[in-house]
Amino acid sequence: MTKPLRIGVAGLGSVGAALVRLLQRRRADLRARTGRDITIVGVSARSRRERGLDLGGARFYDDPAALAASSEIDLFVELIGGADGAAYDAARAALSRGVPLVTANKAMLAAHGLELGRLAESHGAPLAFEAAVAGGIPIIKTLREGLAGNAVRRVSGILNGTCNYILSRMETEGLPFEACLADAQRLGYAEADPTFDIGGFDTAHKLAILASLAFGAKIDVGAISIEGIQSITLADLAAADELGYRIKLLGVAERSEKGIEQRVHPTMVAKAAPLAQTMGVHNAITIDGDAIGALTLVGPGAGGDATASAVAADICDIARGDVAPAFGRPIDALEEAERVPMQRHEGGYYVRLAVVERPGSVATISTRMAEQRISIEAIMQKGKAKGVTANEVVPVVLLTHATTETAIREALALAVADGAVRETPQVIRIERD
Ligand code: HSE
């Protein structure tokens, strides 16, 4: 049998603790699969408090970078999180010594993925990050290896378990946003700062990684248009239900002759679509490839055990010496692709307006839409239809046929300036395929 693989684990939060338990529980099977014992010889965490974990003889390091640079380890697992600081220092310490790095850190990869990929290449050290996107779903391996024979046109998905959990519970139980977020935090789904989840940034980090793998392009998180779910109300969820849709926070990356469009926003998804049927903490990703057609993977997108499962898969690959380039090809072979700004996005829109009750309000709105060549597919007044007094506001929901982001924003800004609409209109994009 080959000599044991000695690993160092930095970060003993819900994923780190689940990984320690998984490697113990699955020890014999992992040895049979890889031909080696996988042993944790060093750990690092913010405090030495008792965690109920059997860490065997593993040495404790206060400084994760010291663990990463230690000659006692053959592989470093980074589960600290955060784009910079301790995680980034430790990642560089490992790779620059030629030590393989396994990380779940999507924020760090979105910000520094190319630099870390280059460091890995120049020191001949594997860099693996299956756990960085969609928790337990093996989406990285699928895109990087399983679909290598495809030209990918589009990747779209629910990439944040916390947001999907919140939207699902608001929709099915009518609970307020804050209560659902508090539960997601209690269950260990949310980021340390949940703004990353609900503001769409975590989804954007993951989308940037997927777009790079799917299109063979350099990571460009700065080019992603990002909107979170904070403005979604129970009224929007109820209107979506009535119209045959569910509201999901989607990350979408699409390649066309114009370039690559990358966007994160709440989206109306037709109830029959696999993404709409993905509820709770589950994530789902649909990939459109020229050879395979559409393929959807669904599974747990957050949580200790699911994410540890993905970390363990990377550890096994490295233990066997089965290592693919981090982004599917050498870093210098990744394209500098043109990015398409959100203003040029074309699609249908759901709009919820607080319309002022007076003759001509709806006519003004339709005129502003017509001026922008926007065709209205459906319009409905929500709430009470009778007994509304002059100048009171009435909620009105309308759906448009395909138009551009610029046109819809312009039409609505003018309708507000005309005094036909009060408050900021709610605008949600519709995905029709
Ligand atoms: N906070 C993330 C989520 C964890 O909710 O999806 C997994 O990356």
Side-chain angles (χ1 to χ4, degrees):
M1 182 172 287
T2 321
K3 65 185 170 73
L5 182 78
R6 304 165 303 164
I7 71 174
V9 178
L12 292 175
S14 59
V15 180
L19 178 69
V20 171
R21 290 193 200 97
L22 186 154
L23 292 179
Q24 271 157 4
R25 190 171 74 241
R26 307 275 306 141
R27 191 181 191 94
D29 186 59
L30 296 179
R31 187 193 301 123
R33 285 171 184 271
T34 64
R36 310 172 70 169
D37 259 323
I38 296 171
T39 315
I40 299 177
V41 297
V43 293
S44 179
R46 262 203 299 259
S47 84
R48 295 185 184 224
R49 73 179 165 78
E50 177 52 44
R51 294 176 165 82
L53 294 172
D54 176 5
L55 292 169
R59 197 160 135 191
F60 193 96
Y61 289 73
D62 289 310
D63 176 8
L67 170 60
S70 156
S71 58
E72 287 173 12
I73 64 165
D74 306 311
L75 183 156
F76 180 63
V77 180
E78 184 278 307
L79 301 172
I80 302 165
D84 296 292
Y88 182 43
D89 291 344
R92 283 183 301 175
L95 293 175
S96 53
R97 211 174 59 74
V99 170
L101 170 66
V102 173
T103 178
N105 193 332
K106 53 268 162 136
M108 180 175 76
L109 290 163
H112 307 296
L114 296 178
E115 180 211 328
L116 293 174
R118 278 213 175 84
L119 202 57
E121 274 173 20
S122 61
H123 291 86
L127 163 61
F129 46 84
E130 186 60 72
V133 182
I137 303 176
I139 184 63
I140 302 295
K141 211 178 185 59
T142 300
L143 270 175
R144 189 181 54 205
E145 293 155 55
L147 297 179
N150 284 257
V152 175
R153 185 186 71 82
R154 188 171 194 266
V155 182
S156 58
I158 296 168
L159 301 174
N160 184 271
T162 300
C163 287
N164 206 45
Y165 176 85
I166 293 173
L167 293 173
S168 300
R169 290 199 69 202
M170 283 175 73
E171 182 198 325
T172 54
E173 297 171 53
L175 291 173
F177 187 97
E178 291 72 23
C180 301
L181 172 59
D183 282 348
Q185 289 178 290
R186 189 176 45 75
L187 290 163
Y189 302 154
E191 297 300 301
D193 174 359
T195 317
F196 277 83
D197 299 293
I198 61 176
F201 307 105
D202 179 75
T203 299
H205 294 150
K206 294 166 176 169
L207 184 70
I209 297 168
L210 294 186
S212 172
L213 288 163
F215 307 129
K218 291 199 166 130
I219 287 186
D220 190 355
V221 73
I224 302 182
S225 158
I226 307 171
E227 277 173 39
I229 62 166
Q230 302 95 322
S231 71
I232 302 297
T233 63
L234 292 172
D236 293 318
L237 292 161
D241 181 49
E242 215 175 304
L243 293 161
Y245 293 95
R246 288 219 164 89
I247 301 176
K248 298 291 184 186
L249 183 73
L250 293 195
V252 182
E254 232 164 328
R255 167 158 242 166
S256 68
E257 63 290 347
K258 291 185 271 180
I260 296 176
E261 179 178 309
Q262 302 177 111
R263 51 197 165 88
V264 172
H265 50 72
T267 313
M268 293 276 180
V269 186
K271 279 184 193 168
L275 296 186
Q277 289 168 23
T278 302
M279 301 298 273
V281 72
H282 276 47
N283 284 190
I285 301 129
T286 300
I287 303 154
D288 291 316
D290 64 341
I292 192 133
L295 167 73
T296 300
L297 303 185
V298 183
D305 285 335
T307 312
S309 154
V311 174
D314 281 343
I315 294 174
C316 280
D317 279 352
I318 293 169
R320 276 195 303 258
D322 177 6
V323 174
F327 292 95
R329 61 194 77 194
I331 298 292
D332 282 337
L334 293 170
E335 238 186 277
E336 297 272 6
E338 181 76 23
R339 309 289 159 152
V340 184
M342 189 65 200
Q343 291 74 11
R344 282 162 62 191
H345 171 72
E346 285 179 32
Y349 287 81
Y350 157 100
V351 181
R352 180 168 51 78
L353 302 166
V355 174
V356 178
E357 171 53 41
R358 65 164 192 237
S361 281
V362 169
T364 303
I365 297 163
S366 342
T367 303
R368 291 306 191 185
M369 295 270 176
E371 284 166 2
Q372 299 296 326
R373 313 195 61 73
I374 299 170
S375 165
I376 296 172
E377 179 183 322
I379 182 160
M380 58 188 190
Q381 181 172 329
K382 308 296 294 174
K384 61 178 178 178
K386 287 188 187 148
V388 182
T389 54
N391 293 320
E392 217 180 307
V393 293
V394 200
V396 168
V397 165
L398 59 87
L399 298 185
T400 77
H401 288 291
T403 179
T404 65
E405 185 79 13
T406 307
I408 192 86
R409 298 286 174 192
E410 179 72 8
L412 293 175
L414 290 171
V416 172
D418 292 335
V421 172
R422 278 206 205 115
E423 303 164 17
T424 310
Q426 170 70 291
V427 178
I428 304 178
R429 294 164 194 88
I430 304 172
E431 287 294 316
R432 290 218 157 89
D433 55 345

